[in-house]
Amino acid sequence: MRGLGRVFNVVPAASGVHIPLKNASAVSFITYEDDGTTIATIKESIDGASEQALDCDVYPHKAPGVGGTWTAMAEQDDTLALGADTTNDCMVFTVDASQLSAGFNCVEVTVDGGICIAVLHDLTVQRKPANLARNVV
């Protein structure tokens, strides 16, 4: 078995969807700005309902979208702003399942522009890609 299903699962269009962490220990979000700015807002929910801001340390990093050195960004509460950085147009950050509030099981990231991809990783159950659990609510 290759990486998909054994190590990770992917949500290619992740902005504004609730991603359950029932079958993964963490989810990393990769954003790429295509309009000059990216602001990512992070929320948690219970099966896609009762959402609230997720205020946790996610240790974001930024880099050029065509490859380059990752640079640590300052923590910005439940909203991460890449800003008008002309060099670094890609951002990545991870939310661990253990960072969710008691009873909450989903993460939602909404970006105001650009691309947002989610990679669920540290899967708790390995499956063939065709048998992966639903990755959005």
Side-chain angles (χ1 to χ4, degrees):
M1 193 170 13
R2 307 275 180 190
L4 183 63
R6 182 176 56 86
V7 180
F8 65 89
N9 195 359
V10 179
V11 180
S15 182
V17 298
H18 298 267
I19 299 173
L21 290 180
K22 296 175 184 175
N23 297 307
S25 298
V27 58
S28 291
F29 292 91
I30 303 140
T31 68
Y32 180 75
E33 64 181 34
D34 64 356
D35 64 353
T37 183
T38 296
I39 297 173
T41 305
I42 310 168
K43 296 181 181 179
E44 63 183 347
S45 69
I46 302 168
D47 295 327
S50 303
E51 67 182 35
Q52 65 183 24
L54 177 59
D55 188 12
C56 66
D57 295 329
V58 293
Y59 306 106
H61 284 75
K62 62 184 177 179
V66 294
T69 303
W70 289 102
T71 305
M73 296 170 57
E75 173 60 32
Q76 302 170 32
D77 298 325
D78 59 337
T79 303
L80 304 172
L82 189 55
D85 188 327
T86 57
T87 301
N88 298 296
D89 48 10
C90 185
M91 177 172 53
V92 65
F93 55 93
T94 300
V95 177
D96 293 320
S98 63
Q99 292 177 290
L100 300 179
S101 301
F104 286 77
N105 58 9
C106 293
V107 178
E108 176 194 20
V109 169
T110 304
V111 295
D112 68 334
I115 298 165
C116 180
I117 299 168
V119 178
L120 292 110
H121 49 91
D122 305 321
L123 300 181
T124 55
V125 176
Q126 297 179 359
R127 299 179 168 99
K128 292 180 180 178
N131 296 332
L132 283 168
R134 182 171 169 80
N135 55 13
V136 296
V137 174

